[in-house]
Amino acid sequence: MTKDTGLQKTAEIIYDYAENKTTYQTDKIVTIPSSAYLDQDIWEAEVSKIFKELPLALATTAELREPHSYKAMDAAGLPVLMTRGKDGVVRAFLNVCSHRAAAVAENGCGIKKRFACKYHGWTYSADGRLMGVAEGNTFGDVDKSTLGLRELPCEEKGGLIFVILTPGKEMNLDNFLDGMLDDLENANFKDWAYLGQRELTGANWKIAFDGYLEGYHFAQLHPETIHPRTLSNLTHYESFGPHMRIGFAQTDIKEKFDAAPKEKWGEMENTGYDFVRILFPNVSVFLAPEITQVAQLFPGETPDKNRTVLTFFRPDPPKDDEDKAALEGMMDFLHNVVRDEDYATGDQIQKGLESGAHESIILGKNERGNQFFHECLAYYMNDRKGPMPTI
C-alpha cells in the first residue's frame, strides 16, 4: 500500500522467512520477573517516568481536522484537552479550569470556539486563554492573562498528535521518533478519514501490549480470525529509536509475490505481507486500506488493569449507508478479536502471575520485539543511562 522503496529489503526478508519456514531470531532467551506486571512501585514509576515524560500519540489529525475542533480525553490518569486554533495549530492543555479545577470540556471530539467550565461558567479560547469570568463584577479582580489553561508540550507529525503530559517539558519529537513516521507520511495518513472508536479494559498494560509485539500466538489463539490471513510465528523486526516496525507474512505471500516483479515487492504492503507499527510506549498502528486500527494502551487505576482505545480510519470516508454498515461490522470484528481472544487471555495471565506459580516469564529467541520493548522500558526507567537499545 505504501510506496516506500525502503521496504524492498524488508519484503524480501519476509518472503525468505516464508520460503524457509523460519522467522527473525535473536541469540538469547530473556526472563522478565513476574513483579514487573504486579508491583505497585514499578507501576507508579512507569506512569511517572514513561507516561508523563515521553511524547505520547494521543490523537490523530483526522480527529481534529477543522479549525476550532477539539478532543478531550483521559490519559494515564490526567484530563487532557487538545484543540486546533483558527491559526491551524494544534495545542494541548490540562483540561482543568483555573478557578476551582473542574473540567472545561467533556471527553470526546467536537467543534467549539469557546470552552465553558460547567461548574461556574468561566470561559476559555481554543488557545487556552481565559476569556470570561462569569458575573465578574461579583467575583473580584483577577488578572485573566495569568489564569489560562495549563499548556502541555504538543506537536503534530505524520497524521498523529503527540503530547507530553508534564507542563514545561522539552519535546524533541524528531529525535524521539528517529524516522519512525516516514512511511506513515508517505502513505498520507494525515488525510485519512476517521471512522469510529471502541474502548475496552484488560490486564496490566504490559501484559496487553506484549500481545501486539509477536505473531507466535496466532495459530493457537486466533485460529479462525487472524491465522487464516497471517502466518503464525513468522515475524520480522526493525527498530527506530525505541519504536518498531513489525512485519508479518500473509498466508498467500508466495502466490502474491511470485506473480509480481521482485523489484515491486517493497510497494506491496497489505498484499502478501503486513506491518504493525509500534510507537513506544503504548501505541500500535495496523495500516491497511480496508480499515486501519490505532490502539492506545494506558495504565488503569491499579497495576492489574489497562484501558485501551481502538480508533479506526480509512483513506476515504464511507460512501453510503451500506458502506458505513460494513465498516461498523469490521470495527466490531476487530474489537471483538482483541476483547474475546487477546484480552481474555491477558486476564488469565494476570491471575496466573498473581498466583505465584512462577517467579518470571520467558521471552524466546523468536520474541525479539517483546525483548526489545522491555529493554526500552528499562532504559527509560533507569533515566536513559547507557546506549539506547536496538534490534
Side-chain angles (χ1 to χ4, degrees), residues 77 92 111 115 118 156 161 192 201 211 265 295 332 376 381 391:
I111 302 287
F115 297 90
K118 67 179 182 180
E156 186 173 17
I161 295 165
W192 288 33
T201 59
W265 290 359
D332 287 339
C376 291
M381 293 284 279
I391 291 180

Side-chain angles (χ1 to χ4, degrees), residues 132-257:
V133 175
E135 300 183 62
N137 62 319
T138 68
F139 187 85
D141 292 333
V142 296
D143 182 356
K144 289 189 290 187
S145 68
T146 67
L147 292 172
L149 297 176
R150 191 73 182 275
E151 191 162 5
L152 298 170
C154 179
E155 189 171 335
E156 186 173 17
K157 189 175 182 66
L160 298 170
I161 295 165
F162 292 84
V163 178
I164 297 178
L165 296 178
T166 300
K169 292 286 286 187
E170 181 180 355
M171 181 185 287
N172 190 335
L173 189 59
D174 286 339
N175 182 64
F176 178 66
L177 290 172
D178 197 17
M180 180 64 201
L181 295 189
D182 288 354
D183 50 5
L184 282 187
E185 291 184 316
N186 190 61
N188 219 28
F189 181 63
K190 65 180 177 61
D191 294 330
W192 288 33
Y194 170 83
L195 300 177
Q197 196 169 85
R198 304 288 189 271
E199 288 198 23
L200 63 160
T201 59
N204 175 277
W205 75 277
K206 297 194 299 286
I207 289 175
F209 207 50
D210 274 336
Y212 290 83
L213 307 180
E214 45 90 1
Y216 185 33
H217 68 280
F218 288 172
Q220 184 68 23
L221 190 60
H222 305 301
E224 298 178 359
T225 53
I226 305 301
H227 192 228
R229 173 189 173 98
T230 309
L231 292 172
S232 192
N233 200 26
L234 192 161
T235 313
H236 186 65
Y237 296 101
E238 301 166 277
S239 63
F240 304 78
H243 319 288
M244 284 183 281
R245 187 168 60 201
I246 307 176
F248 299 90
Q250 295 178 5
T251 52
D252 61 355
I253 185 172
K254 180 172 174 56
E255 173 188 342
K256 294 291 178 59
F257 274 30

Side-chain angles (χ1 to χ4, degrees), residues 62 65 191-198 289-292 312-331:
R65 192 173 301 286
D191 294 330
W192 288 33
Y194 170 83
L195 300 177
Q197 196 169 85
R198 304 288 189 271
E290 301 87 356
I291 195 165
T292 281
F312 300 94
F313 306 86
R314 197 175 71 171
D316 55 304
K319 299 178 179 64
D320 49 36
D321 289 344
E322 182 179 357
D323 189 25
K324 184 177 180 180
L327 289 167
E328 289 288 338
M330 293 174 70
M331 288 187 280

Side-chain angles (χ1 to χ4, degrees), residues 342-369:
D342 293 286
Y343 279 32
T345 301
D347 288 338
Q348 294 176 352
I349 293 170
Q350 187 76 48
K351 291 179 180 178
L353 293 169
E354 291 170 356
S355 76
H358 305 288
E359 294 182 355
S360 61
I361 65 164
I362 302 171
L363 300 176
K365 292 163 59 176
N366 59 336
E367 296 176 307
R368 179 59 187 140

